[in-house]
Amino acid sequence: GEDVEQSLFLSVREGDSSVINCTYTDSSSTYLYWYKQEPGAGLQLLTYIFSNMDMKQDQRLTVLLNKKDKHLSLRIADTQTGDSAIYFCAVVGPGTYKYIFGTGTRLKVLA
Amino acid sequence: EAGVTQFPSHSVIEKGQTVTLRCDPISGHDNLYWYRRVMGKEIKFLLHFVKESKQDESGMPNNRFLAERTGGTYSTLKVQPAELEDSGVYFCASSQLTGASGNTIYFGEGSWLTVV
């Protein structure tokens, strides 16, 4: 079945850029999402990208999609301590509503 | 507009006991989903309701889990009897559209279950 993989941890210094990576196996994935989970909180939709796009920018967030390599990344510019959280990548295939999530990447921002 | 609300937010129960989690979707959303994340693993789909009907329950782990959505409004997820491996976060989500890819779903804050 579909598999989505992420590295478990990332540590960056405040003010630096963070890049969180995600790989997936199903080339027919049509929509790809990034969710954020802060400690003790629920899942917050950060952004999403359609498979016919290769980049999407939203303020400090930039999503890059490489369909050939089945690789999705989330770049956070000027990372702040408030960005410390777990970031989940999720994909959806055509004709389905089931989100397939990765294990989440825990981002730690050092002051 | 209220988001997806879940209750309880946290629950600690003993192995063998029963727990019932409740989810109130966003008003007007016919689609309701349950997902869960056991410790350190990925978030996994459990099931999907369209109104009061179970559209897909392929992710339910075993028959100790029972989900209902009477009247097509709120939903409950009962775990009976609870086992240690059931510990995790149970997320409920809802959406307006049915079955379409890219249909953005909105998650609740989760019910954190600890079985001791």
Side-chain angles (χ1 to χ4, degrees), chain A residues 43-84:
Chain A
L43 290 173
Q44 174 194 354
L45 176 64
L46 281 180
T47 186
Y48 65 93
I49 190 168
F50 300 161
S51 59
N52 62 357
M53 299 168 65
D54 49 26
M55 187 183 92
K56 181 178 180 182
Q57 187 153 3
D58 183 1
Q59 299 182 331
R60 292 190 299 122
L61 304 178
T62 303
V63 179
L64 295 177
L65 174 60
N66 181 329
K67 281 193 72 177
K68 176 175 168 289
D69 294 339
K70 289 178 270 188
H71 182 267
L72 181 74
S73 68
L74 174 70
R75 178 177 180 270
I76 306 172
D78 187 25
T79 312
Q80 302 298 307
T81 53
D83 295 324
S84 293

Coordinates of all heavy atoms in Angstrom, one line a residue, chain A residues 43-84:
Chain A
L43 N -4.4 18.8 15.1 CA -3.8 18.9 13.8 C -4.2 20.2 13.1 O -5.4 20.4 12.9 CB -4.1 17.7 12.9 CG -3.4 16.4 13.3 CD1 -4.0 15.3 12.5 CD2 -1.9 16.5 13.2
Q44 N -3.3 21.0 12.8 CA -3.6 22.3 12.1 C -3.1 22.2 10.7 O -2.0 21.9 10.4 CB -2.9 23.4 12.8 CG -3.0 24.8 12.2 CD -2.0 25.8 12.7 OE1 -1.3 25.5 13.7 NE2 -2.0 26.9 12.1
L45 N -4.0 22.4 9.7 CA -3.7 22.4 8.3 C -2.8 23.7 8.1 O -3.2 24.8 8.3 CB -4.9 22.4 7.4 CG -4.6 22.5 5.9 CD1 -3.9 21.3 5.4 CD2 -5.9 22.7 5.2
L46 N -1.6 23.4 7.6 CA -0.7 24.5 7.2 C -0.8 25.0 5.8 O -1.0 26.1 5.5 CB 0.8 24.1 7.5 CG 1.3 24.1 8.9 CD1 2.8 23.7 8.9 CD2 1.1 25.5 9.5
T47 N -0.8 24.0 4.9 CA -0.8 24.3 3.5 C -1.0 23.0 2.7 O -0.8 21.9 3.3 CB 0.5 25.0 3.0 OG1 0.3 25.4 1.7 CG2 1.7 24.1 3.2
Y48 N -1.3 23.1 1.5 CA -1.4 21.9 0.6 C -1.1 22.3 -0.8 O -1.1 23.5 -1.2 CB -2.8 21.2 0.7 CG -3.9 22.0 0.2 CD1 -4.4 21.9 -1.2 CD2 -4.6 22.9 1.0 CE1 -5.4 22.6 -1.6 CE2 -5.7 23.7 0.5 CZ -6.1 23.5 -0.8 OH -7.1 24.3 -1.3
I49 N -0.8 21.3 -1.6 CA -0.4 21.5 -3.0 C -1.0 20.5 -3.9 O -1.2 19.3 -3.5 CB 1.2 21.5 -3.1 CG1 1.6 22.0 -4.5 CG2 1.8 20.1 -2.8 CD1 3.1 22.3 -4.5
F50 N -1.4 20.9 -5.0 CA -2.0 19.9 -6.0 C -0.8 19.3 -6.8 O 0.2 19.9 -6.9 CB -2.9 20.7 -7.0 CG -4.1 21.3 -6.4 CD1 -4.7 22.3 -7.1 CD2 -4.5 21.0 -5.2 CE1 -5.8 23.0 -6.6 CE2 -5.6 21.6 -4.6 CZ -6.3 22.6 -5.3
S51 N -1.0 18.1 -7.3 CA 0.1 17.4 -7.9 C 0.5 18.0 -9.2 O 1.6 17.7 -9.8 CB -0.3 15.9 -8.1 OG -1.4 15.8 -8.9
N52 N -0.3 18.9 -9.8 CA 0.1 19.5 -11.0 C 0.9 20.8 -10.8 O 1.3 21.5 -11.7 CB -1.1 19.8 -11.9 CG -2.1 20.8 -11.3 OD1 -1.8 21.2 -10.1 ND2 -3.1 21.1 -12.0
M53 N 1.3 21.1 -9.5 CA 2.1 22.2 -9.2 C 3.4 21.7 -8.7 O 3.6 20.6 -8.3 CB 1.4 23.0 -8.1 CG 0.1 23.6 -8.4 SD -0.8 24.2 -7.0 CE 0.3 25.6 -6.5
D54 N 4.5 22.5 -8.8 CA 5.7 22.1 -8.3 C 6.2 23.0 -7.1 O 7.1 22.7 -6.4 CB 6.8 22.0 -9.3 CG 6.9 23.2 -10.2 OD1 6.5 24.3 -9.8 OD2 7.3 23.0 -11.4
M55 N 5.5 24.1 -6.9 CA 5.8 25.0 -5.8 C 4.6 25.8 -5.4 O 3.8 26.2 -6.2 CB 7.0 26.0 -6.2 CG 7.5 26.8 -5.1 SD 8.7 28.0 -5.5 CE 7.7 29.4 -5.8
K56 N 4.6 26.0 -4.1 CA 3.5 26.9 -3.6 C 4.1 27.7 -2.4 O 4.8 27.1 -1.6 CB 2.3 26.1 -3.1 CG 1.2 27.0 -2.5 CD 0.0 26.1 -2.1 CE -1.1 26.9 -1.6 NZ -2.2 26.1 -1.1
Q57 N 3.9 29.0 -2.4 CA 4.5 29.8 -1.3 C 3.3 30.5 -0.6 O 2.4 31.0 -1.2 CB 5.4 30.9 -1.9 CG 6.2 31.7 -0.8 CD 7.5 32.2 -1.3 OE1 7.9 32.0 -2.5 NE2 8.2 32.8 -0.4
D58 N 3.5 30.5 0.7 CA 2.5 31.2 1.5 C 3.2 31.8 2.7 O 3.5 31.1 3.7 CB 1.4 30.1 2.0 CG 0.3 30.7 2.8 OD1 0.3 32.0 3.0 OD2 -0.6 30.0 3.3
Q59 N 3.5 33.1 2.6 CA 4.2 33.8 3.7 C 5.5 33.1 3.9 O 6.4 33.0 3.0 CB 3.3 34.0 4.9 CG 2.0 34.7 4.6 CD 1.2 35.0 5.8 OE1 1.2 34.2 6.8 NE2 0.4 36.1 5.8
R60 N 5.8 32.7 5.2 CA 7.1 32.1 5.4 C 7.2 30.6 5.0 O 8.3 30.0 5.1 CB 7.3 32.1 7.0 CG 7.5 33.5 7.5 CD 8.0 33.5 9.0 NE 7.1 32.8 9.9 CZ 7.4 31.8 10.6 NH1 8.6 31.2 10.6 NH2 6.5 31.3 11.4
L61 N 6.1 30.1 4.5 CA 6.1 28.7 4.1 C 6.3 28.5 2.6 O 5.6 29.2 1.8 CB 4.8 28.0 4.5 CG 4.4 28.1 5.9 CD1 3.0 27.4 6.2 CD2 5.5 27.5 6.8
T62 N 7.1 27.6 2.2 CA 7.3 27.2 0.8 C 7.2 25.7 0.7 O 7.9 25.0 1.3 CB 8.6 27.7 0.2 OG1 8.8 29.1 0.4 CG2 8.7 27.4 -1.3
V63 N 6.3 25.3 -0.2 CA 6.2 23.8 -0.5 C 6.8 23.5 -1.8 O 6.5 24.2 -2.8 CB 4.7 23.4 -0.4 CG1 4.6 21.9 -0.7 CG2 4.1 23.7 0.9
L64 N 7.6 22.5 -1.9 CA 8.2 22.1 -3.2 C 7.8 20.7 -3.4 O 7.9 19.8 -2.5 CB 9.7 22.2 -3.1 CG 10.3 23.6 -3.0 CD1 11.9 23.5 -2.9 CD2 9.9 24.5 -4.2
L65 N 7.4 20.4 -4.6 CA 7.0 19.0 -5.0 C 7.8 18.6 -6.2 O 7.8 19.2 -7.2 CB 5.5 19.0 -5.3 CG 4.9 17.7 -5.9 CD1 5.1 16.5 -4.8 CD2 3.5 17.8 -6.2
N66 N 8.4 17.4 -6.0 CA 9.2 16.8 -7.1 C 8.4 15.5 -7.4 O 8.6 14.5 -6.7 CB 10.6 16.5 -6.7 CG 11.4 15.9 -7.8 OD1 10.9 15.1 -8.6 ND2 12.7 16.2 -7.9
K67 N 7.6 15.5 -8.4 CA 6.8 14.3 -8.7 C 7.6 13.2 -9.2 O 7.3 12.0 -9.0 CB 5.7 14.7 -9.7 CG 4.5 15.4 -9.2 CD 3.4 15.5 -10.1 CE 2.7 14.1 -10.3 NZ 1.5 14.2 -11.2
K68 N 8.7 13.5 -9.9 CA 9.5 12.4 -10.5 C 10.1 11.6 -9.4 O 10.1 10.4 -9.4 CB 10.6 13.0 -11.4 CG 11.6 12.0 -11.9 CD 12.6 12.8 -12.9 CE 13.8 11.9 -13.2 NZ 14.7 11.7 -12.1
D69 N 10.6 12.3 -8.3 CA 11.2 11.6 -7.2 C 10.2 11.3 -6.1 O 10.6 10.7 -5.1 CB 12.4 12.4 -6.7 CG 13.5 12.6 -7.7 OD1 13.6 11.7 -8.6 OD2 14.3 13.5 -7.5
K70 N 9.0 11.7 -6.3 CA 8.0 11.5 -5.2 C 8.5 12.1 -3.9 O 8.5 11.4 -2.8 CB 7.6 10.1 -5.1 CG 6.7 9.6 -6.3 CD 6.4 8.2 -6.3 CE 7.4 7.4 -7.0 NZ 7.1 6.0 -7.1
H71 N 8.9 13.4 -3.9 CA 9.5 14.0 -2.8 C 8.8 15.4 -2.6 O 8.6 16.2 -3.5 CB 11.0 14.2 -3.1 CG 11.7 14.9 -1.9 ND1 11.9 16.3 -1.9 CD2 12.2 14.4 -0.8 CE1 12.5 16.6 -0.8 NE2 12.7 15.4 -0.1
L72 N 8.4 15.6 -1.4 CA 7.7 16.8 -1.0 C 8.5 17.5 0.2 O 9.0 16.7 1.0 CB 6.3 16.5 -0.4 CG 5.4 17.6 0.0 CD1 4.9 18.4 -1.2 CD2 4.2 17.1 0.8
S73 N 8.6 18.8 0.1 CA 9.3 19.4 1.2 C 8.6 20.7 1.7 O 7.8 21.3 0.9 CB 10.8 19.8 0.8 OG 10.8 20.8 -0.2
L74 N 8.8 21.0 2.9 CA 8.2 22.2 3.5 C 9.4 23.1 4.0 O 10.1 22.6 4.9 CB 7.3 21.9 4.6 CG 6.7 23.1 5.4 CD1 5.8 23.9 4.6 CD2 6.0 22.6 6.7
R75 N 9.5 24.2 3.5 CA 10.5 25.1 4.0 C 9.9 26.2 4.8 O 8.9 26.9 4.4 CB 11.3 25.8 2.8 CG 12.4 26.7 3.2 CD 13.2 27.2 2.0 NE 14.2 28.2 2.4 CZ 14.0 29.5 2.4 NH1 12.9 30.0 2.2 NH2 15.1 30.3 2.8
I76 N 10.4 26.5 6.0 CA 9.9 27.5 6.9 C 11.1 28.5 7.0 O 12.2 28.3 7.5 CB 9.6 27.0 8.3 CG1 8.6 25.8 8.2 CG2 9.0 28.1 9.1 CD1 8.4 25.2 9.6
A77 N 10.8 29.7 6.5 CA 11.8 30.8 6.5 C 11.8 31.5 7.9 O 10.7 31.5 8.5 CB 11.5 31.8 5.4
D78 N 13.0 32.0 8.3 CA 13.0 32.7 9.6 C 12.3 32.0 10.7 O 11.4 32.5 11.3 CB 12.4 34.1 9.4 CG 12.6 35.0 10.6 OD1 13.6 34.8 11.3 OD2 11.8 35.9 10.8
T79 N 12.8 30.8 11.0 CA 12.1 29.9 11.9 C 12.1 30.5 13.3 O 13.1 31.0 13.8 CB 12.8 28.5 12.0 OG1 13.0 28.0 10.6 CG2 11.9 27.5 12.7
Q80 N 11.0 30.4 14.0 CA 10.8 31.0 15.3 C 10.6 29.9 16.3 O 10.2 28.8 16.0 CB 9.6 32.0 15.3 CG 9.7 33.1 14.3 CD 10.9 34.0 14.6 OE1 11.1 34.5 15.7 NE2 11.8 34.2 13.6
T81 N 10.7 30.2 17.6 CA 10.5 29.2 18.6 C 9.1 28.7 18.6 O 8.8 27.5 18.9 CB 10.8 29.8 20.0 OG1 10.1 31.0 20.2 CG2 12.3 30.1 20.1
G82 N 8.2 29.5 18.2 CA 6.8 29.1 18.1 C 6.5 28.1 17.0 O 5.4 27.5 16.9
D83 N 7.5 27.9 16.1 CA 7.4 26.9 15.1 C 7.7 25.5 15.6 O 7.5 24.5 14.9 CB 8.3 27.2 13.9 CG 7.9 28.5 13.2 OD1 6.7 28.8 13.1 OD2 8.8 29.3 12.8
S84 N 8.2 25.4 16.8 CA 8.5 24.1 17.4 C 7.2 23.3 17.5 O 6.2 23.7 18.1 CB 9.1 24.2 18.8 OG 10.4 24.8 18.7

